[in-house]
Amino acid sequence: MSPISFLSRTRRAGRIDITDILSWVWLLGGTFAVLVPVVWAGLSSLKPAAEITRFPPSLLPRAALEQTVPGFDKPLSLWNVTIDSQQREMAMVRRIGLKAQMVDPANPGQPVGVDVKGITPVQQLTVATENYTDPLTRFNFLTFLKNSVFVTVVATLLTLIVNAMAAFALSKYKFRGDTTVFVIIISTLMIPLAVVMVPAYLVIVGVGLADNLWGVILPTVASPTAVFLLRQYMLTIPDELIEAARVDAASEFCIFWRIILPLTAPALAVLAIFSVLWRWNDFLWPLIVLNSRENFTLQVGLNAFQGEFSVQWHYILAMTFLSLLPVTVVFLFLQKYITTGIAGTGMK
Amino acid sequence: MAELTAGILLSRTGETAMRVVEAPMNAIERLFGRKRMPWLFLAPNLILFGIFTFLPIAIAVGYAFTGGTNLFVSDRPFVGLDNFRTLLSCGNYLQPGTCQESLFWTAVWNTLWFVAFNVVATLLVALITALILNRAIFARGFFRAMFFYPVLLSPVVIGLIWKWFLDRNGLLNAFFQMLGVPPEIFLLDVGWSRFFVVVVSVWFHMGFYTLILLAGLQAIPKDLYEAASIDAASPRRTLFRITLPLLAPNLLVVFILLMIKSVQIFDEAWVLTNGGGPGTANSFIVQYIYQMAFGSDLRLFGLASAASVLMGLVLLVLTLIQLRLGKRMES
């Protein structure tokens, strides 16, 4: 059976052939490839600092068990020791080369010298919650989070309202220059940030919004994608509704606010989801605009953090997971709308 | 009861908010008349668009012809084509070392290689996945969602997760050790790190292109396949004579979109490779622009803009090809 047929055959009812098996191998392999790095990082984020760089790594977070022994200032680590062919649990006082000094935690007396080769640490499944709680109290994590939430919420609300108004004007009115305005807005769709990033920063400095969260928000608000999407949707709303409202002496804004906006709700919902994802995940533009730590968004903060504390992977992974969580939850609940939204509009 | 009160309160505040917005808008309508209202609706968008999109585009080109390190265009000396000359003068274009701006040409070549591998790999993986997901397979929705999930993640998060996965003490090395292969510091090796930048990019974005191709596959009329099966056409024939030709417009859109997006690679590669490492092995054009203008104290805004303009021209050509081909496919 050639590999070609495995891609093109449609399944015959009630029979499993090699094409099905190959498809399943591909799909399960793909699922595996998607999940393994994410789950691995997630499991690692629960490991205590001492355990995280151990090689070869253990799958589940474990930590050495410690116990306070009378007569010693610090808690001592527990080890399984075989002395006189007898398995015992002992606490390590210190380690000198290949010898370790051990005491019996229940009955601490003179430490005994034991060969380190024959001992194994007593370990226990431990979830290092401090990886998650520490960044909340130290390292500005809450500030980054607050900034990200502010940017995401405000930018999304403004994006919805500003572009819905523009789309309304471009879909429900005939006026001189309407096509020109639409074409100008749409033509900028093809110009990516990378091309205008220097002059865009100049404008931000010029209007006094450098190192300011509004400097991150405002340039993203007027979006040609959003205008295009909402306009296409509004074109399908019958004009008779508007005429009827005008007969009833409704003002233009009332028509927009109470008739068009509620009817555009499905398109607005799709746009809202995307706007939240775009703004939450934004990196390059906030990286350019924001300079001081207290203004960083989560993504910029995370990047700065990993540069400064590259050895503290337990903190980095925990914070990575905290920033991945909202997106994952949104996706779990709205995955159908997101995928159909993308298939329908082709936007990401 | 409490819920009801809260509900009433909420709808009242909503109503009040509406009145507050409506009143001034209605006053404006009375003042200017209904004919001017569309411009009022356009105003917020056009003002923001003008300041933050149109103005930068207008300035961008001018910027490329100026020198110095001042940010404001009025304080910058006009240098004509100097920036372009600096970027484009090369002894041998295939060897970045012989160019005046060797970093730029390193970035250009890195980007071209990345685009070539990334486009082919993503297209292939997305196409195979879409063809399989188009079959009547169990739990299709689950797999579609699964492949799509990385698309929504932030590039920084993806960079960090993969960096950890590829770490010296990471899972991949543990797997290598199980197979008896010596551990490797993947991201410090030129070949491996380039390979994994493509892998991560495919991993990140293939779900998006799969979805577009899947939408195209589902639009192919079913009776064509029925006719083919009546004629006892081989699977290979069905794939090459029906599926792929009818999917061609979608494939082309995906191909061009992928090229446009790949040229702009920055975020995930930046985080994954600590800003382009090892050395300049993963230094791409957007990164060059960023570093010339903001990343260091060089503040070579003119040079960065000139590079932007060159990149913009390439993207423009790609977009025009896409539009032209798109139109031809439609007719």
Side-chain angles (χ1 to χ4, degrees):
Chain A
M1 182 84 44
S2 71
I4 304 283
S5 54
F6 118 85
L7 295 173
S8 56
R9 267 222 175 149
T10 41
R11 202 173 70 174
R12 273 175 239 151
R15 236 185 78 187
I16 293 176
D17 60 19
I18 186 136
T19 67
D20 292 283
I21 295 168
L22 285 176
S23 301
W24 276 96
V25 168
W26 180 272
L27 291 178
L28 290 176
T31 308
F32 206 62
V34 167
L35 282 180
V36 164
V38 180
V39 171
W40 169 242
L43 284 174
S44 300
S45 76
L46 300 170
K47 288 180 181 175
E51 188 65 13
I52 197 158
T53 50
R54 206 165 68 103
F55 190 83
S58 60
L59 198 60
L60 293 171
R62 290 191 301 179
L65 215 54
E66 293 189 328
Q67 193 175 345
T68 346
V69 179
F72 295 93
D73 303 336
K74 283 192 215 155
L76 303 176
S77 57
L78 287 179
W79 298 74
N80 281 320
V81 185
T82 318
I83 300 174
D84 309 330
S85 64
Q86 212 184 346
Q87 184 86 15
R88 284 173 68 184
E89 210 168 81
M90 294 187 85
M92 188 190 284
V93 180
R94 66 169 78 84
R95 182 171 167 172
I96 311 148
L98 293 175
K99 284 277 178 203
Q101 289 192 324
M102 300 280 206
V103 289
D104 189 340
N107 183 20
Q110 200 58 30
V112 238
V114 181
D115 198 350
V116 289
K117 265 192 202 148
I119 63 176
T120 48
V122 180
Q123 286 192 320
Q124 198 187 29
L125 207 64
T126 322
V127 172
T129 44
E130 68 270 15
N131 292 352
Y132 284 85
T133 50
D134 280 3
L136 291 181
T137 48
R138 296 152 63 189
F139 330 119
N140 309 58
F141 182 83
L142 282 180
T143 318
F144 300 158
L145 183 70
K146 198 185 73 197
N147 292 339
S148 263
V149 170
F150 178 76
V151 167
T152 306
V153 171
V154 173
T156 299
L157 287 177
L158 287 177
T159 302
L160 290 179
I161 191 81
V162 165
N163 294 308
M165 282 168 72
F168 175 54
L170 292 172
S171 63
K172 293 295 168 208
Y173 291 94
K174 270 259 150 249
F175 56 97
R176 268 179 65 119
D178 52 355
T179 335
T180 319
V181 170
F182 183 62
V183 168
I184 289 177
I185 291 180
I186 292 306
S187 64
T188 56
L189 256 175
M190 62 181 89
I191 295 166
L193 170 66
V195 174
V196 289
M197 110 187 145
V198 178
Y201 181 69
L202 162 78
V203 169
I204 286 294
V205 174
V207 295
L209 289 177
D211 199 15
N212 186 319
L213 290 178
W214 287 100
V216 176
I217 295 171
L218 289 179
T220 63
V221 165
S223 146
T225 320
V227 172
F228 182 73
L229 173 78
L230 295 175
R231 179 178 172 271
Q232 292 308 97
Y233 197 87
M234 286 179 186
L235 285 175
T236 63
I237 298 172
D239 290 341
E240 286 80 10
L241 277 176
I242 297 173
E243 277 149 29
R246 283 201 186 123
V247 171
D248 290 345
S251 68
E252 298 303 298
F253 188 75
C254 185
I255 292 171
F256 166 70
W257 198 246
R258 303 196 179 217
I259 297 173
I260 300 295
L261 263 199
L263 287 173
T264 318
L268 287 172
V270 170
L271 181 63
I273 294 171
F274 282 106
S275 173
V276 166
L277 289 169
W278 290 333
R279 301 290 82 88
W280 184 263
N281 291 339
D282 247 0
F283 178 58
L284 181 55
W285 183 241
L287 182 71
I288 293 170
V289 174
L290 306 172
N291 300 317
S292 48
R293 242 194 139 71
E294 66 268 20
N295 287 331
F296 280 0
T297 57
L298 210 49
Q299 310 301 338
V300 182
L302 213 54
N303 178 58
F305 188 83
Q306 67 113 2
E308 291 159 32
F309 302 93
S310 55
V311 277
Q312 304 194 335
W313 269 107
H314 53 298
Y315 287 142
I316 296 173
L317 289 173
M319 292 205 277
T320 302
F321 256 74
L322 284 179
S323 90
L324 169 143
L325 218 55
V327 174
T328 308
V329 171
V330 166
F331 181 62
L332 284 180
F333 284 103
L334 302 176
Q335 100 19 54
K336 219 175 199 164
Y337 303 95
I338 294 174
T339 44
T340 44
I342 284 198
T345 60
M347 68 172 179
K348 177 167 65 163
Chain B
M1 199 58 207
E3 267 171 39
L4 191 66
T5 339
I8 291 171
L9 218 74
L10 206 68
S11 78
R12 287 243 173 94
T13 17
E15 192 67 20
T16 323
M18 272 189 186
R19 292 241 165 81
V20 171
V21 194
E22 245 177 310
M25 293 297 280
N26 292 346
I28 292 171
E29 187 181 336
R30 275 194 296 277
L31 201 65
F32 291 105
R34 183 175 284 172
K35 275 268 176 330
R36 299 212 179 92
M37 283 309 280
W39 287 105
L40 186 73
F41 283 113
L42 275 172
N45 186 289
L46 287 186
I47 290 168
L48 287 171
F49 178 78
I51 297 176
F52 295 113
T53 308
F54 210 67
L55 191 60
I57 293 172
I59 302 171
V61 180
Y63 235 122
F65 298 100
T66 59
T69 54
N70 282 319
L71 183 61
F72 287 93
V73 187
S74 50
D75 301 336
R76 298 174 60 83
F78 182 80
V79 296
L81 287 169
D82 271 11
N83 288 321
F84 290 98
R85 239 173 256 141
T86 310
L87 286 178
L88 295 176
S89 64
C90 260
N92 176 353
Y93 287 94
L94 294 172
Q95 287 168 347
T98 64
C99 301
Q100 199 178 340
E101 262 302 301
S102 61
L103 278 178
F104 175 70
W105 282 95
T106 309
V108 167
W109 286 117
N110 285 345
T111 309
L112 284 179
W113 280 114
F114 173 78
V115 170
F117 284 114
N118 189 49
V119 168
V120 172
T122 311
L123 198 61
L124 214 62
V125 173
L127 178 63
I128 294 176
T129 312
L131 285 171
I132 290 177
L133 285 178
N134 194 39
R135 294 157 51 107
I137 209 144
F138 174 74
R140 198 160 63 170
F142 167 79
F143 286 117
R144 200 177 61 177
M146 205 66 247
F147 284 109
F148 187 74
Y149 173 61
V151 174
L152 301 176
L153 298 182
S154 112
V156 178
V157 161
I158 288 189
L160 288 174
I161 285 178
W162 273 89
K163 211 169 160 180
W164 177 241
F165 183 70
L166 300 173
D167 191 76
R168 187 159 36 110
N169 296 325
L171 196 62
L172 196 63
N173 266 327
F175 182 66
F176 264 35
Q177 205 198 30
M178 247 167 54
L179 297 179
V181 183
E184 181 79 50
I185 309 177
F186 298 106
L187 294 174
L188 289 185
D189 178 273
V190 173
W192 276 117
S193 67
R194 283 182 170 153
F195 171 75
F196 275 112
V197 168
V198 175
V199 168
V200 170
S201 177
V202 173
W203 186 88
F204 189 2
H205 301 288
M206 59 82 63
F208 174 68
Y209 300 102
T210 302
L211 213 56
I212 296 184
L213 291 179
L214 197 56
L217 282 174
Q218 283 172 353
I220 298 175
K222 293 279 170 293
D223 40 342
L224 285 178
Y225 290 107
E226 278 160 27
S229 81
I230 289 169
D231 292 345
S234 71
R236 185 200 192 90
R237 232 181 135 73
T238 317
L239 180 69
F240 284 104
R241 292 293 166 89
I242 297 177
T243 311
L244 290 185
L246 285 172
L247 195 63
N250 298 68
L251 279 171
L252 201 69
V253 166
V254 167
F255 179 73
I256 305 273
L257 267 184
L258 249 170
M259 288 232 273
I260 294 174
K261 295 268 175 196
S262 305
V263 174
Q264 299 173 50
I265 171 108
F266 176 77
D267 298 0
E268 67 265 32
W270 173 267
V271 177
L272 185 71
T273 64
N274 281 333
T280 53
N282 287 298
S283 157
F284 301 110
I285 294 180
V286 176
Q287 190 195 327
Y288 175 82
I289 299 169
Y290 171 79
Q291 278 187 326
M292 285 302 124
F294 311 106
S296 56
D297 294 328
L298 294 171
R299 296 172 73 78
L300 296 171
F301 298 116
L303 205 60
S305 290
S308 296
V309 169
L310 291 178
M311 185 178 154
L313 288 177
V314 173
L315 291 174
L316 186 70
V317 170
L318 288 176
T319 314
L320 289 179
I321 292 174
Q322 185 200 6
L323 290 178
R324 175 66 58 85
L325 289 174
K327 249 191 208 130
R328 189 181 296 171
M329 291 290 173
E330 264 170 36
S331 60

